[in-house]
């Protein structure tokens, strides 16, 4: 299999982003060398650079304007695979009325692909370290509640 197809497969599997794949394909175009004995379509690449981030923690912060809510959770990424297994199970336990209330505010938990996020976190290929950034008005506390989930 030639290098171009390998790069396309890496993009398809989520191992690299489309932008990173484009850079690699462009680099391949610049390193193309004709063969001495016969014409070939193979291209040789040495040490392609793939940008990966080394995140250490998944951070969850919940706060409110009136300071009635203040939660900080730091989860080492080493535990993230376990969380991925639990995330699917926890979603089934969210009460229907809470899910409806969240959806009325534009938060659709069932649309979040936790496995894909976890895969990108562990591979270091997440494009943006901010995963969730939500603000919602809470009638009970009469304040704005902020939820931020990100990696560092």
């Amino acid at each position: 299999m030639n290098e171009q197809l390998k790069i396309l497969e890496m993009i398809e599997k989520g191992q690299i982003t489309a932008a990173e794949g484009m850079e690699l394909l462009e680099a391949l175009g610049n390193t193309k060398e004709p063969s001495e004995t016969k014409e070939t379509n193979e291209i040789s690449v040495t040490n392609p650079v793939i940008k990966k981030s080394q995140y250490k923690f998944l951070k969850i912060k919940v706060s409110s304007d009136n300071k009635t809510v203040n939660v900080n959770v730091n989860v080492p990424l080493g535990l993230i695979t376990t969380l991925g297994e639990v995330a699917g199970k926890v979603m089934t336990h969210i009460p229907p009325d809470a899910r409806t209330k969240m959806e009325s505010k534009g938060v659709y938990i069932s649309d979040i692909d936790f496995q894909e996020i976890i895969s990108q976190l562990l591979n270091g290929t997440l494009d943006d370290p901010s995963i969730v950034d939500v603000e919602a008005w809470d009638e009970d506390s009469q304040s704005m509640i902020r939820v931020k989930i990100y990696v560092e």
Side-chain angles (χ1 to χ4, degrees):
M1 178 185 306
N2 71 32
E3 283 79 8
Q4 291 172 331
L5 288 176
K6 287 181 186 177
I7 292 169
L8 293 175
E9 283 183 357
M10 289 172 72
I11 294 169
E12 183 179 36
K13 291 178 183 176
Q15 295 172 332
I16 61 174
T17 66
E20 292 166 338
M22 187 61 139
E23 287 178 26
L24 290 173
L25 289 171
E26 287 173 359
L28 281 175
N30 294 334
T31 61
K32 195 172 184 179
E33 298 175 8
S35 174
E36 291 179 16
T37 55
K38 63 180 179 177
E39 194 171 314
T40 179
N41 288 336
E42 286 195 35
I43 299 168
S44 176
V45 174
T46 23
N47 300 327
V49 177
I50 299 174
K51 181 184 167 195
K52 289 191 174 189
S53 299
Q54 297 300 317
Y55 300 120
K56 295 192 182 341
F57 289 96
L58 174 71
K59 297 190 170 215
I60 303 168
K61 295 189 181 256
V62 182
S63 61
S64 65
D65 288 342
N66 64 4
K67 309 287 187 219
T68 57
V69 177
N70 188 23
V71 178
N72 291 311
V73 179
N74 298 321
V75 181
L77 284 184
L79 297 176
I80 206 75
T81 52
T82 303
L83 287 177
E85 294 168 6
V86 173
K89 295 174 184 168
V90 168
M91 301 231 320
T92 61
H93 296 290
I94 296 174
D97 57 327
R99 188 179 288 244
T100 302
K101 191 173 182 180
M102 288 170 34
E103 289 174 355
S104 72
K105 296 182 187 231
V107 179
Y108 298 93
I109 291 284
S110 58
D111 290 348
I112 299 172
D113 187 351
F114 288 104
Q115 293 302 329
E116 179 62 24
I117 293 170
I118 290 167
S119 172
Q120 289 189 20
L121 284 173
L122 295 175
N123 291 333
T125 57
L126 193 65
D127 288 337
D128 183 1
S130 181
I131 300 168
V132 174
D133 199 353
V134 178
E135 291 185 0
W137 179 256
D138 181 40
E139 286 295 324
D140 295 336
S141 66
Q142 291 292 302
S143 68
M144 186 66 75
I145 304 292
R146 290 177 185 80
V147 177
K148 184 169 179 130
I149 302 174
Y150 61 100
V151 288
E152 247 181 20

